[in-house]
Amino acid sequence: MSERRPFDVQALRAEFPALAQEVYRKPLVYLDTAATTQKPQRVLDAYLGFLSHDNANVHRGVHALASRSTKAYEQARSTVARALGAPEARDVIFVRGTTEAVNLVAETWGRENVGPGDEILVTALEHHSNFVPWQRLAAARGARFVVVPVETDGSVSVERFTQHLTARTRLAAFAHVSNALGTVLPVAELTRAAQAVGARVFVDGAQAMSHLEPNVLALGCDFYAFSGHKVFAPPGIGALWARRELLEAMPPWQSGGEMVATVTEELSTWGPPPTRFEAGTPNFAGAVALGAALEWRFELDFVALQRHEAALLAAATARVSEIPGARILGEAPGKVSVLSFVIDGLHASDLGMILDRDGVAIRVGTHCTQPLLARFGLTATARASFALYNTLDDVERFGDALNRAVRMLRTGDP
Ligand code: PMP
């Protein structure tokens, strides 16, 4: 087991080279972690080190580098399993990211298990990645696509969710944490309710991994997916965990090299999971870097981390709330450090561009959650998302820059 390090924001921050730069001659304040996390030096070193010394295609070779590379890739699979509290590494499939995981399950398990008249349930706060593939699956299979509304504070009510379940619900898919609002969904309760009507549960963990320590057994879900780039690893790698009996029964999605057992001119047969779902050369260097990122993350004191992020969120919420005409979206109790807001009469994109000139990076737009924004009568918000490496000084820089931007846009004065 890795030792937990005492939580020291300045020491952690110093591990992230990207945070030590200036933009427009101002020190960077990076508040776009919900889109992607920055990477600690240890992960960058692991990535480059692997490519510099051990690089060889996995599972195919008999030479020394091939065996080192394969070992590192499979070690990374075990590390992912550990990070998810999953008992078996072979139940982890490497994918490109959460989006690919959703599509994989929709196109394999979904095609086989969802039929005419069945229902697929999602919530209104889903990222398009955990919405559109299910919507397409429902349309292709003649199933009903049911969207559970969110509450005014941005939470998902177990009661309301349960009211939308029926004996025809085959699958419920929902986020662990909302990227647009920061809401933490009551995954274990929602899962129990869905499974009580015989549905399977897919959890989109994309936003959870940098704020929480999910455990798939405690959550009780059937599928759990996340993206490496949102948990301090490079883009292009992520993981899907699923219950073994589901993986065993699922047909392949993509086919080609490595995923087969036998190939003849007449017929091919499939290998067992996880290789059945990893056709072609996988992103093994990315997987190794993901393993390094998760090992780094095991050392974090999550209790202190969550306390730190809650303090950042409270301070940022206070700064935004003091602006006349500001409205915050998402105030669910226990939410993570994501702050979405709009300001009367001002375009989010104007705010984003002016803040950028002050060195403050926030995100503006739909956050790939158009159905959610429509529910609030909006087409865009500004979003500041805070991570373990942000400081109260970042919050002050953000608050000051936002005040300046609002004044500039309202008065026309620079
Ligand atoms: N779900 C959520 C909640 C997300 O925040 C994101 C990324 N913004 C995704 C899914 C999709 O992840 P990716 O683009 O890495 O596949």
Side-chain angles (χ1 to χ4, degrees):
M1 276 318 234
S2 335
E3 289 274 315
R4 303 264 178 178
R5 296 189 275 164
F7 189 83
D8 173 349
V9 64
Q10 291 303 344
L12 281 170
R13 190 181 169 81
E15 293 186 49
F16 288 80
L19 297 177
Q21 63 184 298
E22 297 196 335
V23 290
Y24 311 111
R25 301 195 177 173
K26 311 261 173 57
L28 170 67
V29 175
Y30 184 75
L31 303 182
D32 198 16
T33 284
T36 199
T37 57
Q38 294 301 346
K39 321 301 175 200
Q41 191 63 49
R42 195 168 341 147
V43 173
L44 301 173
D45 290 346
Y47 198 27
L48 195 60
F50 175 83
L51 287 169
S52 308
H53 303 292
D54 304 323
N55 179 56
N57 209 331
V58 287
H59 294 153
R60 279 154 222 219
V62 291
H63 58 80
L65 267 61
S67 90
R68 285 210 305 259
S69 173
T70 301
K71 204 166 151 214
Y73 182 60
E74 292 306 326
Q75 180 59 43
R77 197 189 301 280
S78 301
T79 306
V80 171
R82 184 180 153 206
L84 294 177
E88 297 242 30
R90 62 190 177 136
D91 300 340
V92 170
I93 297 160
F94 281 118
V95 288
R96 195 160 54 83
T98 310
T99 304
E100 190 170 73
V102 179
N103 280 279
L104 190 163
V105 176
E107 295 294 322
T108 57
W109 182 90
R111 294 257 165 189
E112 299 242 311
N113 290 280
V114 177
D118 285 340
E119 293 171 9
I120 301 174
L121 201 72
V122 300
T123 82
L125 60 64
E126 300 310 316
H127 187 282
H128 295 164
S129 290
N130 195 32
F131 192 98
V132 180
W134 305 124
Q135 193 178 43
R136 287 182 70 204
L137 173 66
R141 303 296 297 143
R144 238 164 56 87
F145 184 63
V146 180
V147 182
V148 181
V150 296
E151 307 305 308
T152 315
D153 68 355
S155 62
V156 172
S157 137
V158 178
E159 199 185 342
R160 197 185 295 279
F161 177 88
T162 306
Q163 284 162 3
H164 286 76
L165 292 165
T166 74
R168 297 307 300 265
T169 311
R170 302 293 292 138
L171 178 84
F174 46 82
H176 195 166
V177 174
S178 153
N179 65 308
L181 305 177
T183 308
V184 179
L185 279 75
V187 171
E189 288 94 322
L190 298 178
T191 297
R192 268 200 299 280
Q195 288 171 344
V197 300
R200 294 292 185 179
V201 172
F202 183 102
V203 179
D204 164 2
Q207 292 293 332
M209 297 297 284
S210 67
H211 301 290
L212 310 173
E213 291 185 290
N215 180 301
V216 291
L217 295 188
L219 296 173
C221 56
D222 297 293
F223 302 96
Y224 196 98
F226 72 92
S227 303
H229 72 96
K230 292 189 198 283
V231 59
F232 315 112
I237 187 72
L240 167 69
W241 171 86
R243 286 184 191 279
R244 173 129 288 258
E245 67 269 24
L246 298 177
L247 289 177
E248 296 278 9
M250 276 157 55
W253 178 33
Q254 296 180 340
S255 41
E258 268 304 298
M259 49 73 69
V260 286
T262 57
V263 179
T264 66
E265 288 191 13
E266 293 74 34
L267 190 76
S268 301
T269 59
W270 323 130
T275 45
R276 184 187 303 165
F277 304 104
E278 294 181 359
T281 299
N283 181 1
F284 52 86
V288 170
L290 174 58
L294 295 173
E295 291 286 351
W296 180 86
R297 175 181 165 281
F298 289 143
E299 295 175 14
L300 299 172
D301 172 350
F302 266 76
V303 174
L305 177 152
Q306 286 162 3
R307 203 181 305 126
H308 173 70
E309 290 185 348
L312 297 175
L313 179 65
T317 303
R319 287 303 303 264
V320 171
S321 306
E322 76 199 11
I323 295 172
R327 173 181 162 207
I328 289 170
L329 258 86
E331 293 179 295
K335 75 172 197 164
V336 302
S337 48
V338 170
L339 184 60
S340 255
F341 59 94
V342 288
I343 297 182
D344 262 0
L346 304 183
H347 284 290
S349 53
D350 291 341
L351 291 173
M353 279 187 288
I354 298 174
L355 260 65
D356 178 49
R357 300 304 294 202
D358 258 336
V360 179
I362 64 165
R363 184 143 297 245
V364 293
T366 67
H367 319 296
C368 296
T369 55
Q370 288 178 26
L372 175 69
L373 264 51
R375 157 83 172 72
F376 286 102
L378 296 167
T379 53
T381 76
R383 181 189 71 187
S385 53
F386 299 86
L388 55 93
Y389 43 60
N390 292 118
T391 61
L392 282 169
D393 192 48
D394 288 341
V395 174
E396 291 315 310
R397 287 271 314 280
F398 159 69
D400 293 348
L402 186 61
N403 271 295
R404 258 195 309 279
V406 169
R407 200 165 51 239
M408 196 187 286
L409 289 168
R410 283 194 173 144
T411 64
D413 293 339

Short mmCIF file of all heavy atoms in Angstrom, two decimals, residues 192-251:
data_model
loop_
_atom_site.label_atom_id
_atom_site.label_comp_id
_atom_site.label_asym_id
_atom_site.label_seq_id
_atom_site.Cartn_x
_atom_site.Cartn_y
_atom_site.Cartn_z
N ARG A 192 -29.18 0.72 -6.47
CA ARG A 192 -30.07 -0.26 -5.81
C ARG A 192 -31.47 -0.16 -6.38
O ARG A 192 -32.11 -1.17 -6.69
CB ARG A 192 -30.12 -0.01 -4.31
CG ARG A 192 -29.07 -0.82 -3.54
CD ARG A 192 -29.43 -0.94 -2.06
NE ARG A 192 -29.50 0.35 -1.38
CZ ARG A 192 -28.43 1.02 -0.95
NH1 ARG A 192 -27.22 0.51 -1.12
NH2 ARG A 192 -28.57 2.18 -0.33
N ALA A 193 -31.95 1.08 -6.58
CA ALA A 193 -33.32 1.26 -7.09
C ALA A 193 -33.43 0.68 -8.51
O ALA A 193 -34.40 -0.03 -8.83
CB ALA A 193 -33.67 2.75 -7.10
N ALA A 194 -32.43 0.93 -9.35
CA ALA A 194 -32.50 0.45 -10.74
C ALA A 194 -32.40 -1.07 -10.78
O ALA A 194 -33.13 -1.74 -11.52
CB ALA A 194 -31.38 1.08 -11.56
N GLN A 195 -31.50 -1.62 -9.97
CA GLN A 195 -31.33 -3.08 -10.00
C GLN A 195 -32.56 -3.79 -9.42
O GLN A 195 -32.85 -4.93 -9.80
CB GLN A 195 -30.06 -3.48 -9.25
CG GLN A 195 -28.80 -3.09 -10.05
CD GLN A 195 -27.52 -3.24 -9.26
OE1 GLN A 195 -27.54 -3.37 -8.04
NE2 GLN A 195 -26.39 -3.23 -9.96
N ALA A 196 -33.31 -3.09 -8.56
CA ALA A 196 -34.51 -3.71 -7.99
C ALA A 196 -35.58 -3.97 -9.07
O ALA A 196 -36.42 -4.85 -8.89
CB ALA A 196 -35.08 -2.81 -6.89
N VAL A 197 -35.54 -3.22 -10.18
CA VAL A 197 -36.48 -3.51 -11.27
C VAL A 197 -35.80 -4.35 -12.35
O VAL A 197 -36.34 -4.53 -13.44
CB VAL A 197 -37.11 -2.23 -11.89
CG1 VAL A 197 -37.88 -1.43 -10.85
CG2 VAL A 197 -36.06 -1.37 -12.59
N GLY A 198 -34.60 -4.84 -12.08
CA GLY A 198 -33.93 -5.73 -13.03
C GLY A 198 -33.06 -5.02 -14.05
O GLY A 198 -32.59 -5.63 -15.01
N ALA A 199 -32.83 -3.69 -13.84
CA ALA A 199 -32.01 -2.94 -14.80
C ALA A 199 -30.52 -3.09 -14.45
O ALA A 199 -30.17 -3.35 -13.30
CB ALA A 199 -32.41 -1.48 -14.79
N ARG A 200 -29.69 -2.90 -15.45
CA ARG A 200 -28.24 -2.80 -15.24
C ARG A 200 -27.89 -1.33 -15.10
O ARG A 200 -28.62 -0.46 -15.60
CB ARG A 200 -27.49 -3.41 -16.41
CG ARG A 200 -27.69 -4.90 -16.55
CD ARG A 200 -27.05 -5.65 -15.40
NE ARG A 200 -27.13 -7.09 -15.57
CZ ARG A 200 -26.62 -7.95 -14.71
NH1 ARG A 200 -26.01 -7.53 -13.62
NH2 ARG A 200 -26.71 -9.25 -14.92
N VAL A 201 -26.74 -1.06 -14.46
CA VAL A 201 -26.38 0.33 -14.17
C VAL A 201 -24.99 0.65 -14.72
O VAL A 201 -24.02 -0.04 -14.41
CB VAL A 201 -26.41 0.59 -12.65
CG1 VAL A 201 -25.85 1.96 -12.31
CG2 VAL A 201 -27.84 0.46 -12.13
N PHE A 202 -24.93 1.72 -15.51
CA PHE A 202 -23.67 2.22 -16.05
C PHE A 202 -23.36 3.54 -15.35
O PHE A 202 -24.17 4.47 -15.39
CB PHE A 202 -23.79 2.45 -17.56
CG PHE A 202 -22.50 2.90 -18.20
CD1 PHE A 202 -21.70 2.02 -18.91
CD2 PHE A 202 -22.07 4.22 -18.07
CE1 PHE A 202 -20.49 2.42 -19.48
CE2 PHE A 202 -20.87 4.65 -18.62
CZ PHE A 202 -20.08 3.74 -19.34
N VAL A 203 -22.19 3.64 -14.73
CA VAL A 203 -21.81 4.89 -14.06
C VAL A 203 -20.67 5.55 -14.83
O VAL A 203 -19.64 4.93 -15.10
CB VAL A 203 -21.40 4.63 -12.59
CG1 VAL A 203 -21.00 5.95 -11.92
CG2 VAL A 203 -22.54 3.98 -11.83
N ASP A 204 -20.89 6.82 -15.16
CA ASP A 204 -19.87 7.64 -15.82
C ASP A 204 -19.05 8.31 -14.73
O ASP A 204 -19.50 9.25 -14.08
CB ASP A 204 -20.61 8.67 -16.70
CG ASP A 204 -19.73 9.82 -17.15
OD1 ASP A 204 -18.52 9.83 -16.82
OD2 ASP A 204 -20.25 10.72 -17.82
N GLY A 205 -17.83 7.79 -14.53
CA GLY A 205 -16.99 8.29 -13.45
C GLY A 205 -15.98 9.34 -13.89
O GLY A 205 -15.03 9.64 -13.16
N ALA A 206 -16.19 9.94 -15.07
CA ALA A 206 -15.19 10.86 -15.63
C ALA A 206 -14.78 11.94 -14.64
O ALA A 206 -13.59 12.23 -14.49
CB ALA A 206 -15.72 11.49 -16.92
N GLN A 207 -15.76 12.53 -13.96
CA GLN A 207 -15.44 13.65 -13.07
C GLN A 207 -15.13 13.21 -11.65
O GLN A 207 -14.76 14.02 -10.81
CB GLN A 207 -16.60 14.64 -13.04
CG GLN A 207 -16.82 15.39 -14.33
CD GLN A 207 -15.68 16.35 -14.66
OE1 GLN A 207 -15.01 16.86 -13.78
NE2 GLN A 207 -15.45 16.58 -15.95
N ALA A 208 -15.33 11.94 -11.38
CA ALA A 208 -15.22 11.51 -9.98
C ALA A 208 -13.78 11.28 -9.54
O ALA A 208 -13.42 11.53 -8.39
CB ALA A 208 -16.02 10.22 -9.78
N MET A 209 -12.94 10.84 -10.48
CA MET A 209 -11.65 10.28 -10.08
C MET A 209 -10.68 11.28 -9.45
O MET A 209 -9.79 10.88 -8.70
CB MET A 209 -10.98 9.61 -11.27
CG MET A 209 -11.76 8.44 -11.82
SD MET A 209 -11.94 7.09 -10.63
CE MET A 209 -10.30 6.36 -10.71
N SER A 210 -10.82 12.57 -9.76
CA SER A 210 -9.89 13.53 -9.17
C SER A 210 -10.41 14.12 -7.85
O SER A 210 -9.68 14.81 -7.16
CB SER A 210 -9.58 14.66 -10.16
OG SER A 210 -10.73 15.44 -10.38
N HIS A 211 -11.66 13.82 -7.52
CA HIS A 211 -12.24 14.38 -6.29
C HIS A 211 -12.60 13.32 -5.25
O HIS A 211 -12.68 13.60 -4.07
CB HIS A 211 -13.53 15.15 -6.61
CG HIS A 211 -13.36 16.27 -7.57
ND1 HIS A 211 -12.69 17.44 -7.27
CD2 HIS A 211 -13.77 16.43 -8.85
CE1 HIS A 211 -12.70 18.25 -8.31
NE2 HIS A 211 -13.34 17.65 -9.29
N LEU A 212 -12.88 12.12 -5.72
CA LEU A 212 -13.40 11.05 -4.84
C LEU A 212 -12.58 9.79 -5.03
O LEU A 212 -11.76 9.70 -5.95
CB LEU A 212 -14.87 10.73 -5.20
CG LEU A 212 -15.86 11.88 -5.30
CD1 LEU A 212 -17.19 11.36 -5.83
CD2 LEU A 212 -16.04 12.56 -3.96
N GLU A 213 -12.85 8.80 -4.20
CA GLU A 213 -12.21 7.49 -4.36
C GLU A 213 -13.32 6.45 -4.56
O GLU A 213 -13.73 5.77 -3.61
CB GLU A 213 -11.37 7.15 -3.13
CG GLU A 213 -10.14 8.03 -3.00
CD GLU A 213 -9.26 7.61 -1.84
OE1 GLU A 213 -9.68 7.81 -0.69
OE2 GLU A 213 -8.17 7.08 -2.09
N PRO A 214 -13.80 6.31 -5.79
CA PRO A 214 -14.92 5.40 -6.00
C PRO A 214 -14.54 3.95 -5.75
O PRO A 214 -13.38 3.56 -5.95
CB PRO A 214 -15.27 5.58 -7.49
CG PRO A 214 -14.27 6.48 -8.07
CD PRO A 214 -13.33 6.95 -7.01
N ASN A 215 -15.51 3.17 -5.32
CA ASN A 215 -15.30 1.74 -5.10
C ASN A 215 -16.50 1.03 -5.75
O ASN A 215 -17.63 1.17 -5.29
CB ASN A 215 -15.25 1.46 -3.60
CG ASN A 215 -15.03 -0.01 -3.33
OD1 ASN A 215 -15.82 -0.86 -3.74
ND2 ASN A 215 -13.95 -0.32 -2.64
N VAL A 216 -16.22 0.30 -6.81
CA VAL A 216 -17.33 -0.27 -7.60
C VAL A 216 -18.12 -1.30 -6.80
O VAL A 216 -19.33 -1.45 -7.03
CB VAL A 216 -16.85 -0.86 -8.94
CG1 VAL A 216 -16.40 0.23 -9.89
CG2 VAL A 216 -15.75 -1.91 -8.74
N LEU A 217 -17.47 -1.96 -5.86
CA LEU A 217 -18.22 -2.95 -5.07
C LEU A 217 -19.17 -2.24 -4.11
O LEU A 217 -20.32 -2.63 -3.95
CB LEU A 217 -17.26 -3.87 -4.30
CG LEU A 217 -16.37 -4.76 -5.16
CD1 LEU A 217 -15.62 -5.75 -4.28
CD2 LEU A 217 -17.17 -5.50 -6.23
N ALA A 218 -18.68 -1.17 -3.48
CA ALA A 218 -19.54 -0.42 -2.56
C ALA A 218 -20.67 0.27 -3.32
O ALA A 218 -21.80 0.35 -2.83
CB ALA A 218 -18.71 0.60 -1.79
N LEU A 219 -20.38 0.75 -4.52
CA LEU A 219 -21.42 1.42 -5.31
C LEU A 219 -22.43 0.39 -5.84
O LEU A 219 -23.60 0.71 -6.03
CB LEU A 219 -20.81 2.20 -6.47
CG LEU A 219 -19.88 3.36 -6.09
CD1 LEU A 219 -19.20 3.94 -7.33
CD2 LEU A 219 -20.64 4.45 -5.33
N GLY A 220 -21.95 -0.80 -6.12
CA GLY A 220 -22.84 -1.87 -6.57
C GLY A 220 -23.20 -1.83 -8.05
O GLY A 220 -24.02 -2.62 -8.51
N CYS A 221 -22.56 -0.95 -8.80
CA CYS A 221 -22.95 -0.77 -10.21
C CYS A 221 -22.47 -1.94 -11.07
O CYS A 221 -21.70 -2.79 -10.61
CB CYS A 221 -22.37 0.55 -10.73
SG CYS A 221 -20.60 0.65 -10.54
N ASP A 222 -22.91 -1.96 -12.33
CA ASP A 222 -22.54 -3.04 -13.25
C ASP A 222 -21.41 -2.63 -14.18
O ASP A 222 -20.63 -3.47 -14.62
CB ASP A 222 -23.76 -3.44 -14.07
CG ASP A 222 -24.87 -3.99 -13.17
OD1 ASP A 222 -24.67 -5.06 -12.59
OD2 ASP A 222 -25.90 -3.31 -13.02
N PHE A 223 -21.35 -1.33 -14.52
CA PHE A 223 -20.29 -0.79 -15.38
C PHE A 223 -19.81 0.52 -14.75
O PHE A 223 -20.63 1.29 -14.23
CB PHE A 223 -20.83 -0.45 -16.78
CG PHE A 223 -21.45 -1.58 -17.54
CD1 PHE A 223 -22.83 -1.78 -17.52
CD2 PHE A 223 -20.66 -2.44 -18.30
CE1 PHE A 223 -23.41 -2.81 -18.24
CE2 PHE A 223 -21.24 -3.48 -19.04
CZ PHE A 223 -22.61 -3.67 -19.00
N TYR A 224 -18.50 0.78 -14.84
CA TYR A 224 -17.96 2.06 -14.35
C TYR A 224 -16.86 2.47 -15.31
O TYR A 224 -16.00 1.66 -15.66
CB TYR A 224 -17.39 1.91 -12.94
CG TYR A 224 -17.16 3.23 -12.23
CD1 TYR A 224 -18.09 3.73 -11.33
CD2 TYR A 224 -16.02 4.00 -12.49
CE1 TYR A 224 -17.90 4.95 -10.68
CE2 TYR A 224 -15.82 5.22 -11.85
CZ TYR A 224 -16.77 5.69 -10.95
OH TYR A 224 -16.59 6.91 -10.32
N ALA A 225 -16.89 3.72 -15.78
CA ALA A 225 -15.90 4.17 -16.77
C ALA A 225 -15.30 5.50 -16.35
O ALA A 225 -15.95 6.31 -15.68
CB ALA A 225 -16.57 4.32 -18.12
N PHE A 226 -14.05 5.72 -16.75
CA PHE A 226 -13.44 7.03 -16.52
C PHE A 226 -12.36 7.30 -17.57
O PHE A 226 -11.96 6.39 -18.31
CB PHE A 226 -12.87 7.14 -15.09
CG PHE A 226 -11.63 6.34 -14.83
CD1 PHE A 226 -10.37 6.90 -15.00
CD2 PHE A 226 -11.70 5.02 -14.42
CE1 PHE A 226 -9.21 6.16 -14.77
CE2 PHE A 226 -10.55 4.27 -14.18
CZ PHE A 226 -9.30 4.85 -14.36
N SER A 227 -11.91 8.55 -17.63
CA SER A 227 -10.91 9.00 -18.60
C SER A 227 -9.61 9.33 -17.87
O SER A 227 -9.64 10.07 -16.87
CB SER A 227 -11.37 10.28 -19.31
OG SER A 227 -12.61 10.09 -19.93
N GLY A 228 -8.49 8.86 -18.39
CA GLY A 228 -7.21 9.15 -17.75
C GLY A 228 -6.89 10.63 -17.68
O GLY A 228 -6.34 11.11 -16.68
N HIS A 229 -7.25 11.38 -18.72
CA HIS A 229 -6.83 12.79 -18.75
C HIS A 229 -7.51 13.62 -17.68
O HIS A 229 -7.09 14.74 -17.41
CB HIS A 229 -7.05 13.40 -20.14
CG HIS A 229 -8.49 13.64 -20.49
ND1 HIS A 229 -9.08 14.86 -20.32
CD2 HIS A 229 -9.45 12.82 -20.97
CE1 HIS A 229 -10.35 14.79 -20.72
NE2 HIS A 229 -10.60 13.56 -21.11
N LYS A 230 -8.56 13.07 -17.05
CA LYS A 230 -9.22 13.81 -15.97
C LYS A 230 -8.73 13.35 -14.60
O LYS A 230 -9.26 13.74 -13.57
CB LYS A 230 -10.73 13.64 -16.07
CG LYS A 230 -11.31 14.35 -17.31
CD LYS A 230 -12.81 14.37 -17.27
CE LYS A 230 -13.43 14.64 -18.60
NZ LYS A 230 -13.38 16.05 -19.01
N VAL A 231 -7.71 12.49 -14.62
CA VAL A 231 -7.13 12.05 -13.35
C VAL A 231 -5.61 12.05 -13.47
O VAL A 231 -4.93 11.10 -13.16
CB VAL A 231 -7.76 10.71 -12.87
CG1 VAL A 231 -7.59 9.57 -13.86
CG2 VAL A 231 -7.29 10.32 -11.50
N PHE A 232 -5.08 13.17 -13.99
CA PHE A 232 -3.64 13.48 -13.97
C PHE A 232 -2.82 12.66 -14.96
O PHE A 232 -1.59 12.69 -14.91
CB PHE A 232 -3.07 13.35 -12.54
CG PHE A 232 -3.94 13.99 -11.49
CD1 PHE A 232 -4.62 13.22 -10.55
CD2 PHE A 232 -4.12 15.37 -11.49
CE1 PHE A 232 -5.45 13.83 -9.60
CE2 PHE A 232 -4.94 15.98 -10.54
CZ PHE A 232 -5.61 15.20 -9.61
N ALA A 233 -3.48 11.91 -15.86
CA ALA A 233 -2.77 11.11 -16.87
C ALA A 233 -2.96 11.77 -18.24
O ALA A 233 -3.76 12.70 -18.38
CB ALA A 233 -3.31 9.68 -16.86
N PRO A 234 -2.25 11.29 -19.26
CA PRO A 234 -2.41 11.90 -20.59
C PRO A 234 -3.76 11.57 -21.22
O PRO A 234 -4.43 10.63 -20.79
CB PRO A 234 -1.28 11.25 -21.41
CG PRO A 234 -0.47 10.46 -20.47
CD PRO A 234 -1.25 10.23 -19.23
N PRO A 235 -4.13 12.29 -22.26
CA PRO A 235 -5.35 11.96 -23.00
C PRO A 235 -5.15 10.69 -23.83
O PRO A 235 -4.03 10.27 -24.07
CB PRO A 235 -5.57 13.18 -23.89
CG PRO A 235 -4.22 13.79 -24.05
CD PRO A 235 -3.44 13.46 -22.80
N GLY A 236 -6.28 10.11 -24.26
CA GLY A 236 -6.20 8.95 -25.16
C GLY A 236 -6.19 7.62 -24.45
O GLY A 236 -6.01 6.58 -25.07
N ILE A 237 -6.37 7.65 -23.13
CA ILE A 237 -6.44 6.39 -22.38
C ILE A 237 -7.49 6.55 -21.28
O ILE A 237 -7.65 7.63 -20.70
CB ILE A 237 -5.05 6.01 -21.76
CG1 ILE A 237 -5.09 4.61 -21.12
CG2 ILE A 237 -4.58 7.06 -20.76
CD1 ILE A 237 -5.15 3.47 -22.09
N GLY A 238 -8.20 5.48 -21.04
CA GLY A 238 -9.21 5.46 -19.98
C GLY A 238 -9.54 4.02 -19.70
O GLY A 238 -8.91 3.11 -20.25
N ALA A 239 -10.52 3.79 -18.85
CA ALA A 239 -10.83 2.41 -18.49
C ALA A 239 -12.32 2.20 -18.32
O ALA A 239 -13.05 3.12 -17.93
CB ALA A 239 -10.09 2.02 -17.22
N LEU A 240 -12.71 0.99 -18.63
CA LEU A 240 -14.07 0.52 -18.36
C LEU A 240 -13.95 -0.69 -17.46
O LEU A 240 -13.20 -1.63 -17.77
CB LEU A 240 -14.74 0.09 -19.68
CG LEU A 240 -16.04 -0.71 -19.53
CD1 LEU A 240 -17.17 0.16 -18.99
CD2 LEU A 240 -16.46 -1.31 -20.88
N TRP A 241 -14.66 -0.66 -16.34
CA TRP A 241 -14.78 -1.86 -15.50
C TRP A 241 -16.19 -2.40 -15.67
O TRP A 241 -17.15 -1.62 -15.77
CB TRP A 241 -14.52 -1.53 -14.02
CG TRP A 241 -14.85 -2.71 -13.14
CD1 TRP A 241 -14.03 -3.74 -12.81
CD2 TRP A 241 -16.12 -2.99 -12.52
NE1 TRP A 241 -14.71 -4.65 -12.03
CE2 TRP A 241 -15.99 -4.21 -11.84
CE3 TRP A 241 -17.36 -2.34 -12.49
CZ2 TRP A 241 -17.04 -4.80 -11.12
CZ3 TRP A 241 -18.41 -2.92 -11.78
CH2 TRP A 241 -18.25 -4.13 -11.11
N ALA A 242 -16.32 -3.71 -15.70
CA ALA A 242 -17.67 -4.30 -15.74
C ALA A 242 -17.66 -5.62 -15.00
O ALA A 242 -16.61 -6.24 -14.81
CB ALA A 242 -18.12 -4.51 -17.18
N ARG A 243 -18.83 -6.02 -14.57
CA ARG A 243 -18.97 -7.32 -13.91
C ARG A 243 -18.57 -8.41 -14.88
O ARG A 243 -18.91 -8.37 -16.06
CB ARG A 243 -20.43 -7.56 -13.51
CG ARG A 243 -20.85 -6.76 -12.34
CD ARG A 243 -22.28 -7.13 -11.94
NE ARG A 243 -22.75 -6.16 -10.98
CZ ARG A 243 -22.45 -6.20 -9.69
NH1 ARG A 243 -21.70 -7.17 -9.21
NH2 ARG A 243 -22.91 -5.27 -8.88
N ARG A 244 -17.88 -9.40 -14.32
CA ARG A 244 -17.33 -10.47 -15.16
C ARG A 244 -18.40 -11.17 -16.00
O ARG A 244 -18.23 -11.40 -17.20
CB ARG A 244 -16.61 -11.49 -14.26
CG ARG A 244 -16.15 -12.73 -14.97
CD ARG A 244 -14.71 -13.00 -14.68
NE ARG A 244 -13.84 -12.06 -15.35
CZ ARG A 244 -13.16 -12.33 -16.46
NH1 ARG A 244 -13.25 -13.50 -17.03
NH2 ARG A 244 -12.38 -11.44 -17.01
N GLU A 245 -19.54 -11.48 -15.40
CA GLU A 245 -20.54 -12.26 -16.15
C GLU A 245 -21.07 -11.45 -17.34
O GLU A 245 -21.44 -12.02 -18.37
CB GLU A 245 -21.68 -12.75 -15.25
CG GLU A 245 -22.58 -11.69 -14.65
CD GLU A 245 -22.10 -11.18 -13.28
OE1 GLU A 245 -20.88 -11.29 -12.99
OE2 GLU A 245 -22.94 -10.65 -12.53
N LEU A 246 -21.07 -10.13 -17.20
CA LEU A 246 -21.51 -9.29 -18.33
C LEU A 246 -20.46 -9.30 -19.42
O LEU A 246 -20.77 -9.47 -20.60
CB LEU A 246 -21.79 -7.87 -17.86
CG LEU A 246 -22.91 -7.73 -16.82
CD1 LEU A 246 -23.05 -6.29 -16.37
CD2 LEU A 246 -24.22 -8.22 -17.40
N LEU A 247 -19.20 -9.11 -19.02
CA LEU A 247 -18.12 -9.11 -20.01
C LEU A 247 -18.06 -10.43 -20.77
O LEU A 247 -17.88 -10.46 -21.99
CB LEU A 247 -16.78 -8.86 -19.32
CG LEU A 247 -16.53 -7.46 -18.78
CD1 LEU A 247 -15.19 -7.39 -18.05
CD2 LEU A 247 -16.55 -6.41 -19.90
N GLU A 248 -18.22 -11.54 -20.04
CA GLU A 248 -18.15 -12.86 -20.67
C GLU A 248 -19.20 -13.00 -21.77
O GLU A 248 -18.96 -13.61 -22.80
CB GLU A 248 -18.40 -13.97 -19.62
CG GLU A 248 -17.37 -14.06 -18.52
CD GLU A 248 -16.12 -14.83 -18.93
OE1 GLU A 248 -15.99 -15.15 -20.13
OE2 GLU A 248 -15.28 -15.09 -18.04
N ALA A 249 -20.39 -12.41 -21.50
CA ALA A 249 -21.51 -12.61 -22.43
C ALA A 249 -21.51 -11.58 -23.57
O ALA A 249 -22.24 -11.75 -24.54
CB ALA A 249 -22.83 -12.53 -21.66
N MET A 250 -20.69 -10.53 -23.43
CA MET A 250 -20.74 -9.45 -24.44
C MET A 250 -19.98 -9.83 -25.70
O MET A 250 -18.86 -10.34 -25.61
CB MET A 250 -20.15 -8.15 -23.85
CG MET A 250 -21.16 -7.34 -23.04
SD MET A 250 -20.43 -6.22 -21.80
CE MET A 250 -19.32 -5.22 -22.74
N PRO A 251 -20.57 -9.56 -26.88
CA PRO A 251 -19.84 -9.81 -28.12
C PRO A 251 -18.77 -8.75 -28.32
O PRO A 251 -18.81 -7.70 -27.67
CB PRO A 251 -20.93 -9.68 -29.18
CG PRO A 251 -21.92 -8.74 -28.60
CD PRO A 251 -21.89 -8.96 -27.10
#
